Amino acid sequence: MNKKLLSVLLISLGVTGLSFSQEGPGYFMHPDVHENTLVFVAEGDVWMTSLQGGMATRLTTHPGDESNPKISPDGQWVAYAASYEGPTEVYVMPISGGLPKRLTYEPAASIPTAWKSTTEVAYTTNQYSNLPRLKTVVIDVNSREKEMLPLEMAAEGSFDEAGQTYFFVRPTYHNNVTKRYKGGTARQVWKYGEGEAEAVKLTQNYEGEDHHPTFHSGRVYFLSSRDGIQNVWSMNPDGSDIQQHTKEDSYDVREFSLSGNTLVYRAGADLYQQDLESGNPERIAIRLVSDFDQLREKWVDNPASYITNISVSNDGEKVALTARGRVFVFPAKEGRMVRLSRKDGVRYRDAVFTTDSKDILTFSDESGEFEIHQYSGLGLDQGKQLTDNGTTLRFNLTPSPDGKWLAWTDLNNDLWIRNLSTGKAVKANLTDEDLLGSMSWSPDSQWLAYGQAASNTFMQLFVFNPTSGKRVTLTSDRTNSLNPQWSSDGKWIYFLSDRNFETKVGSPWGQRQPEPFWEKQMKIYHIPLQKGLISPFTPKNELKAEVKKSEGPVTVMIDEDGLMERVQEVPVPAGNYKNLILTDKALYYHRVGPGPGVYYGGGASNADDPALMMTPISDKAEQKVFADKINSYAVSANNKYALLRQGSNHFLVELGTSPVSDLSKNRLDLSGWKFSIDPREDWKQIYTDAWRMERDYFYDAGMHGVDWDKMHEKYLPLVDRVTTRTELSDVIGELIGELSVLHTSVRGGDTRDGDDNIQFG
């Protein structure tokens, strides 16, 4: 053979061999071993391989997630949990493959925990509990006859060889990702012998958790964090002679299984086998023969359901929508939709138009922190970063009318105003009390009006001049005042305040004496910034001269003396109002249902009979419905245009003084809006976002003494191993669990589900 040809052939064979020996992605969970057969969960399916690893065989293919496989004592069957038809139920199938057989029909989730014999499977469910506590039920795989163990709380258990003694945990799992938990609901290992009067607690003298007991060869193996990392331990059936078997010092041992002299366990994303005598662990090199369907490019067909922010340009020609961390600019009528950036690994938040309607300002986490970036509204550039000092989440980007200033708030309850020319930023507020409601710039861009809670929690209104640093208090701390809005001439500030006391519950309040239910709390007020001004709502008389609109630029003047005492009520009936908007001719406000929702932004449900209300600014003020059945709306910075939402439809209208008779003519066409997602890049961003939000929202700035940056680095490599959104949640749970705090859990996301969803009852 030609030497050159032989060389090429050998190289080709070498490359081919190398490509098959390389391991692809794979996040391996829930191992169970019987002799040399190993089953586990990956990609939401049950797989099988040998203890030597290599190519694994997929046993299940249904879109519904499978979990917790358990091989029967004779090695012929595997029981597992699956959500094939809605509820999570127990199924059993031949270990060699075949049609699964459904064993349980419980409305509540049922999870297999162990085989009692070759024909009996034990599972846990809270279906038979008065409280949300798990009980153990044994079911015959042939007859489906069930027997409930006489234990009030019992889960994560296993039987001895004779099937007479059950080892279990109590209290049952608290459904938190907490690690190294010590407290009243910490799981402990118990045992119960058939026919005995009481169960016996085995684990003693340890405040932390011991759980997932497995009886094997005369000892009870279990998981515990006694050495700081969760590892496998064992003890005698009477609780004596506690020994440690695994010595993982980084990732917790999450699950384990035993057969003969072999211990198989999961740590991180990998499975390990360890000889019980030698104690030396070896990683099981597993290769999934899969097309990794859940890693494929994903298309979002209903982006409108993910909208988190809306901005309308001041010229009324464009709308910017932020959805799933992406920013899109739509024309009001005809034209092309623009996506500002196609970096799937970057999240964008709260995009707004600049004052001239040409550019977009948005928060971007491309640098690792949310910084302010500016993009061309035409999508023609890669944007420029305006800030570089982000340490926490920021919100509410609000550019000034002249485009020279930019205001925002952050999670520390600080209000910042940045000079866009010099880059210098000043803090407007004095305290760290809650900042709530919208901010509003004066017409001359010299003052910013905002609301902040006083020490008694009532919201007060202030105005701040970023040039001089002057701060003026507008309202008292005796009532809540919200949504400050400037008149176009800069002489008045309008706002909402809960100064009306009207209860739906009559007095006296009945035999059971319920609290009064306040409704129609909000009234509209305005305050003259100078003495001697007459309200535009005052009827014409000899003292009220006709006010002519000045032609020159507006200059705001504030007479502080007696300012709070000059507050006047606007002649609009009290109601459940929020989101006040002011134009030069009218007031607009959202009529919603009763309740605390009037104090916050956002929308209203159809049950609240919502409407966008309007009252002309004149001596003949008459309340009108500007647009009915409006769930929410967003307004341009100059208050000339509004995007109204009715259900899933959006309509762009001009804020005039005549009610809108036919919204359909102004419908924003989102019918062709779709976009793709690279799951791997998306998941990396979601992981970092979860890490960052936990840092920013956690009650202890010291993060319980945990090096939070180090934790991000520790678990980030596992994100490259995940193949499903559920596996990503598992990684995030591992990360968050390092804080050792209860009431923390991870759920949600684009999880894979089956088509069938059969409900009971």
Side-chain angles (χ1 to χ4, degrees), residues 47 69 93 131 138 153 260 312 325 377 390 410 462 512 559 593 611 616 700 714 752 754:
W47 296 71
M93 68 179 295
L131 296 173
V138 177
M153 288 191 290
V312 180
D410 65 26
F462 304 85
R512 298 188 180 182
D559 187 348
D700 175 20
K714 175 180 178 179
R752 186 181 66 170

Side-chain angles (χ1 to χ4, degrees), residues 4-155:
K4 185 175 182 181
L5 179 61
L6 177 61
S7 176
V8 171
L9 179 60
L10 290 174
I11 292 174
S12 300
L13 289 173
V15 171
T16 302
L18 178 63
S19 66
F20 273 100
S21 65
Q22 287 178 332
E23 295 175 39
Y27 191 84
F28 310 128
M29 302 187 293
H30 303 165
D32 198 67
V33 62
H34 177 79
E35 297 179 351
N36 194 43
T37 300
L38 174 65
V39 294
F40 61 94
V41 172
E43 291 192 276
D45 291 320
V46 178
W47 296 71
M48 179 178 66
T49 188
S50 69
L51 288 176
Q52 290 71 46
M55 290 191 294
T57 301
R58 193 193 300 261
L59 294 181
T60 62
T61 60
H62 194 280
D65 272 353
E66 291 94 1
S67 66
N68 300 92
K70 304 292 180 184
I71 302 175
S72 62
D74 59 6
Q76 299 299 307
W77 301 88
V78 57
Y80 60 94
S83 302
Y84 290 162
E85 297 162 305
T88 301
E89 304 288 0
V90 179
Y91 291 78
V92 65
M93 68 179 295
I95 193 72
S96 58
L99 187 66
K101 175 183 177 181
R102 182 172 174 176
L103 296 182
T104 61
Y105 291 83
E106 313 282 18
S110 302
I111 307 294
T113 183
W115 287 81
K116 183 179 181 181
S117 68
T118 56
T119 60
E120 296 172 295
V121 177
Y123 66 93
T124 58
T125 180
N126 63 10
Q127 176 60 30
Y128 305 102
S129 303
N130 294 326
L131 296 173
R133 295 289 185 264
L134 297 173
K135 290 189 175 184
T136 299
V137 181
V138 177
I139 187 169
D140 188 290
V141 298
N142 296 316
S143 67
R144 291 194 177 93
E145 291 184 0
K146 295 186 292 187
E147 175 193 3
M148 189 182 308
L149 298 187
L151 299 168
E152 177 56 28
M153 288 191 290

